[in-house]
Amino acid sequence: MPPRSDEPRRDPTGSRRGSSRGAEHREPGVNGISDARAYTPRGRTIREGGGAARTGGGAEQRRTPRSSRSGDPFRPALQVLDGGRTGATRAGRRETAAGGRSGVVRTVSARPVREPFDDDEAPAPRRRPGPRRPARPAAARRPVRKPRRPPKLADPRRRLRLGTLLVLALFSTIGIRLVFLQTVSTPAYADGGLASRLAVVELPAPRGAIYDRTGAPLAHSVEARYVFADPTLVKNPTATARLLSPLLGIPVSELADRMKPRILPGTTTPSRFVYLARGVEIAKAKQIMALDLAGIGVHRDERREVPGGDLAANLIGFVSQDMNGLEGLEAKYDDVLEGKAGRKRYEVGQGDLAAPIPGGYSQTTPAQPGSSLELTIDRDLQFKTQRILSDGMARTRGSVGAAVVIEIGTGDVLAQASFPTYNAADPTKVNSPADREDAATSFIVDPGSIHKAITYGAALQEGVITPDTAFPVANTITKGDTTFRDTHQANGQKMSIPGMLAFSSNVGTIEIADKLGPDRLIDYQKRFGLGQPTGEGMPGEAGGRLLPADQWSDSSHGSVPIGHSVDATPLQMAAAYAAIANDGTYVQPHLIKQVIGPDGKRTAGPAPKTRSVLSPQNAAALRRMLEAVTTVDGPDGRATGLAAAVPGYRVAGKTGTGLRYDNGKLQPGEVGSFIGMAPAEKPRYVVAVFVWSPGGEGGAVAAPAFREIMGFTLRHYRVPPSATDRSPKFEVFPH
């Protein structure tokens, strides 16, 4: 092996290997391991000479890249032999080994530090771990490429402007929304928050009352309570029902069944409310609350009271538990009587503070009580009329009766009674729903002979007859296939018009109607109010039926004039006689006198319709002839209406025997009737009584009932008695 040179190894540029930190001269061996790596045994670098020429002997040493030292095969061995000591120690050992050489130390100036991207030489890449390869000659190395320029960075000002615009747009949107919420939507949001704090209390409005003409209540509402149950809270329905039954008057089984848990129809939600009783008296409600039963409560309610029980019940009708009119005047004028409930809404606290907040939101809609009705009915007269009618009907079986009292001139209906009747406070206790009907407006009959007054009145008005007319009357007359007979036969004798009325001659009436003609007779039927409802005020009033002239058969010429083939109600016939009593002027009968508002303001009811039917002279003549019905009693016979005569008063009227049809079917028995007016010289009142009985006893009831009702009416209103000595004397068969 050749001797090792003391010259330091140099790189191709002439610089000695070692540290590249700084350009200052360092003493050999002061840099420790770095100088040890830069030293080579041969003392020269592979590129010795070329580097020295390029940099010069005095150039500063550049730190040799690690890749340029990898070609020295002795460096690892030297590092191991040195034991990691510094370069100065190794230098001392080299000097000692040289055998007494002088202590001259060669120094190699450090190569100046080269800046990155120098064009002459790129830094050697770091060698990956692995077996070392022999260094290639400098001439075999690839040319170093010029490094690329770094990419141009984006302009940050553009991103800043874009971000600023986005932030401004965001805050603008938020600001606009806040302004919208604070101005436009404020009421809606305020109400939404208020709703969760509001309590609502319903203020019930009482239903209007029904009074008679004197102001006495016939039906009115009083404060009460309803009792309810929450089935989900009732612990023991049977035990609870036993405690409530004595107070409510309802069987235990029925109450227990109501309190059983139930599911609302169509849902899976359990029912939490069920009525146990309505209209409970306040005192009983307090007793129920004192029991402190789980799931049982009471609340304000209203109860309809009918002081008279069955007094005018068929007129008044009744209401439901919810105070809705169901029948009678309660139903017809439900919109007038019904009140409009009010409401109070106020702000309350939450939880334990669930009480009205002082100064908080509060709004009250006052309740509007219903208006009241003042009827034309006289309570005392109504009571007496009902009593007289029911007493007379007690002598019949399965019968129907009606009685009407009308004031002449005004058309006021002072009394309107029906039999059977019922207790309006308990409308369910009836044998049949028909028992609750008002017979005066729903009882349709063939009026029979009472219709003859219309035929004679039309004949007088049309000049067909006069009060002095008389002509022979046969015992029978045939029209078509029907033969009509008289009960009191004249045997062909000349008979006066008062006599025909007194004995209710069918033959004489038919002969007069033949001279009058169907068209004129039908015209007067309509004038007297037949064939259409009177409009009195009762719901469901029947209008009756008139047979048109073109539908008359041959027998109709005999049946219609005497009151058959004609449908009419008791009220219609009573109004027709009231026209005769009122000097020939028809006045629509009515029940409503005035409406009393919640504020006490009184409004008169609709004015009744009026029309002229007969002249006053003909009406007076007809009244005089009708007096024969209650006065003729002599050798020629007894008039049909003697039983209707009122002692001390002149009475004009007519008896009748008719038929009853129900749903187009003829009913067994007969309808007995009497309609009259008193005092006959100047009538004040008209009374009509109709009685249908399957056994035909109606005629025996109607006339006596009329006498009692008319007598009480005249005394009740203190009508002076008539001068009976001035009553006309009638000749039935004039010579």
Side-chain angles (χ1 to χ4, degrees):
M1 170 182 272
R4 185 168 158 180
S5 174
D6 293 332
E7 288 292 325
R9 189 175 181 180
R10 300 179 181 273
D11 59 16
T13 58
S15 300
R16 190 178 67 177
R17 292 176 183 255
S19 175
S20 61
R21 290 178 297 178
E24 59 183 359
H25 295 284
R26 291 186 176 93
E27 292 295 331
V30 297
N31 286 334
I33 193 65
S34 297
D35 291 340
R37 290 177 180 175
Y39 178 82
T40 61
R42 297 174 182 172
R44 304 180 68 88
T45 63
I46 295 175
R47 288 181 286 182
E48 184 179 5
R54 187 166 52 249
T55 59
E60 294 183 353
Q61 180 183 357
R62 174 188 294 266
R63 183 174 182 178
T64 304
R66 186 169 300 179
S67 59
S68 63
R69 298 193 299 266
S70 61
D72 187 356
F74 298 102
R75 179 172 295 112
L78 292 176
Q79 293 177 350
V80 174
L81 294 176
D82 290 342
R85 287 175 291 182
T86 62
T89 305
R90 288 196 308 269
R93 291 177 61 185
R94 285 197 304 267
E95 294 173 357
T96 304
R101 284 191 177 182
S102 62
V104 179
V105 179
R106 296 184 180 180
T107 59
V108 180
S109 299
R111 187 175 180 180
V113 179
R114 311 186 71 173
E115 296 295 332
F117 311 114
D118 283 352
D119 295 338
D120 56 351
E121 181 181 0
R126 182 179 298 271
R127 185 178 180 87
R128 294 183 179 180
R132 294 180 178 271
R133 292 179 298 177
R136 291 183 299 176
R141 290 191 179 185
R142 294 181 181 179
V144 179
R145 293 184 179 180
K146 187 175 182 180
R148 297 180 180 179
R149 294 182 177 273
K152 186 176 183 181
L153 299 177
D155 187 359
R157 291 176 297 178
R158 181 180 298 176
R159 291 196 299 269
L160 181 60
R161 286 193 294 266
L162 180 59
T164 303
L165 291 176
L166 292 176
V167 171
L168 290 177
L170 176 62
F171 279 98
S172 299
T173 303
I174 295 174
I176 294 173
R177 180 59 178 168
L178 289 175
V179 172
F180 181 82
L181 294 176
Q182 291 293 329
T183 57
V184 179
S185 301
T186 297
Y189 281 95
D191 292 344
L194 185 63
S196 62
R197 305 190 306 274
L198 287 183
V200 180
V201 176
E202 184 172 332
L203 305 177
R207 186 178 178 87
I210 299 178
Y211 303 105
D212 81 332
R213 67 187 298 113
T214 65
L218 299 176
H220 64 106
S221 296
V222 296
E223 185 178 352
R225 298 290 184 269
Y226 66 77
V227 181
F228 68 93
D230 183 348
T232 63
L233 300 179
V234 176
K235 297 179 180 178
N236 191 330
T238 303
T240 303
R242 289 195 186 99
L243 295 174
L244 294 177
S245 180
L247 296 173
L248 299 179
I250 302 175
V252 175
S253 59
E254 183 177 347
L255 287 174
D257 183 67
R258 294 183 187 180
M259 289 185 283
K260 288 181 180 179
R262 288 180 175 84
I263 301 299
L264 295 176
T267 67
T268 58
T269 304
S271 174
R272 302 201 61 182
F273 181 90
V274 62
Y275 282 114
L276 298 182
R278 299 293 302 271
V280 178
E281 295 180 358
I282 297 178
K284 288 187 177 180
K286 290 181 178 179
Q287 295 178 22
I288 293 173
M289 291 304 297
L291 296 176
D292 194 20
L293 300 174
I296 305 299
V298 300
H299 200 273
R300 190 185 188 282
D301 199 10
E302 186 177 354
R303 185 179 74 252
R304 199 68 166 170
E305 281 195 351
V306 184
D310 64 349
L311 183 65
N314 301 73
L315 290 177
I316 295 171
F318 59 93
V319 299
S320 67
Q321 291 185 341
D322 295 327
M323 290 294 146
N324 296 320
L326 297 181
E327 287 189 12
L329 297 176
E330 293 275 21
K332 179 66 178 292
Y333 296 94
D334 186 59
D335 56 339
V336 176
L337 296 168
E338 184 181 22
K340 187 176 181 181
R343 179 174 295 182
K344 182 177 180 180
R345 303 172 68 210
Y346 57 92
E347 195 173 1
V348 296
Q350 302 294 323
D352 296 336
L353 300 177
I357 299 176
Y361 174 84
S362 179
Q363 183 183 33
T364 302
T365 302
Q368 298 180 6
S371 298
S372 299
L373 297 178
E374 184 175 294
L375 306 183
T376 59
I377 297 294
D378 186 318
R379 182 181 61 172
D380 295 337
L381 181 58
Q382 177 73 25
F383 173 80
K384 190 65 175 180
T385 301
Q386 287 187 209
R387 177 64 60 86
I388 294 171
L389 181 63
S390 61
D391 290 346
M393 300 296 291
R395 299 193 295 268
T396 65
R397 181 177 298 177
S399 55
V400 177
V404 180
V405 181
I406 297 179
E407 185 178 48
I408 304 302
T410 64
D412 290 353
V413 178
L414 302 177
Q416 188 164 308
S418 299
F419 183 91
T421 186
Y422 70 102
N423 185 355
D426 192 3
T428 59
K429 293 183 178 180
V430 293
N431 296 325
S432 169
D435 295 349
R436 298 195 296 258
E437 294 180 356
D438 174 55
T441 57
S442 63
F443 188 41
I444 300 176
V445 299
D446 274 356
S449 294
I450 58 176
H451 181 273
K452 292 175 181 177
I454 295 176
T455 302
Y456 285 92
L460 282 172
Q461 188 69 20
E462 293 298 320
V464 173
I465 61 172
T466 65
D468 299 326
T469 298
F471 56 88
V473 177
N475 293 336
T476 63
I477 187 172
T478 301
K479 294 293 181 179
D481 58 355
T482 305
T483 298
F484 300 90
R485 294 178 173 83
D486 281 347
T487 302
H488 192 284
Q489 297 180 353
N491 297 321
Q493 299 181 72
K494 184 185 290 185
M495 183 178 281
S496 67
I497 299 299
M500 296 180 191
L501 287 170
F503 296 145
S504 194
S505 173
N506 291 331
V507 176
T509 304
I510 292 172
E511 290 183 359
I512 293 175
D514 285 343
K515 298 177 182 179
L516 182 63
D519 292 331
R520 288 195 289 182
L521 179 58
I522 293 174
D523 179 52
Y524 276 90
Q525 285 178 326
K526 293 179 179 178
R527 290 187 186 185
F528 276 105
L530 303 187
Q532 59 185 354
T534 64
E536 176 199 34
M538 287 297 296
E541 180 184 2
R545 183 181 63 89
L546 297 177
L547 188 63
D550 58 357
Q551 296 181 17
W552 281 27
S553 63
D554 292 338
S555 63
S556 298
H557 291 268
S559 61
V560 173
I562 62 175
H564 297 287
S565 300
V566 178
D567 292 338
T569 65
L571 180 63
Q572 287 175 324
M573 295 307 302
Y577 274 72
I580 298 172
N582 192 37
D583 290 333
T585 300
Y586 177 90
V587 179
Q588 177 188 18
H590 55 277
L591 284 169
I592 308 302
K593 184 177 181 180
Q594 58 185 353
V595 178
I596 305 174
D599 56 354
K601 182 179 179 181
R602 297 174 179 264
T603 304
K609 298 178 182 179
T610 62
R611 56 179 175 270
S612 177
V613 181
L614 303 175
S615 66
Q617 296 78 13
N618 289 326
L622 183 57
R623 289 198 302 270
R624 186 175 182 277
M625 291 188 291
L626 288 172
E627 284 190 71
V629 177
T630 61
T631 58
V632 171
D633 185 13
D636 297 329
R638 293 173 58 86
T640 59
L642 291 178
V646 180
Y649 294 91
R650 294 170 57 183
V651 177
K654 185 70 183 75
T655 58
T657 302
L659 303 174
R660 182 191 180 193
Y661 290 88
D662 189 10
N663 294 325
K665 295 181 180 180
L666 178 64
Q667 301 299 307
E670 295 177 341
V671 178
S673 58
F674 189 93
I675 304 179
M677 59 199 75
E681 67 275 15
K682 189 175 179 58
R684 295 278 302 275
Y685 308 102
V686 164
V687 175
V689 179
F690 284 71
V691 176
W692 169 78
S693 174
E697 304 92 351
V701 175
F706 167 86
R707 181 183 66 244
E708 292 187 46
I709 294 172
M710 179 60 82
F712 178 83
T713 302
L714 295 172
R715 293 189 299 271
H716 178 65
Y717 291 108
R718 301 180 180 181
V719 178
S722 301
T724 54
D725 56 345
R726 297 182 182 180
S727 298
K729 304 300 179 181
F730 300 102
E731 189 175 3
V732 178
F733 299 108
H735 297 289

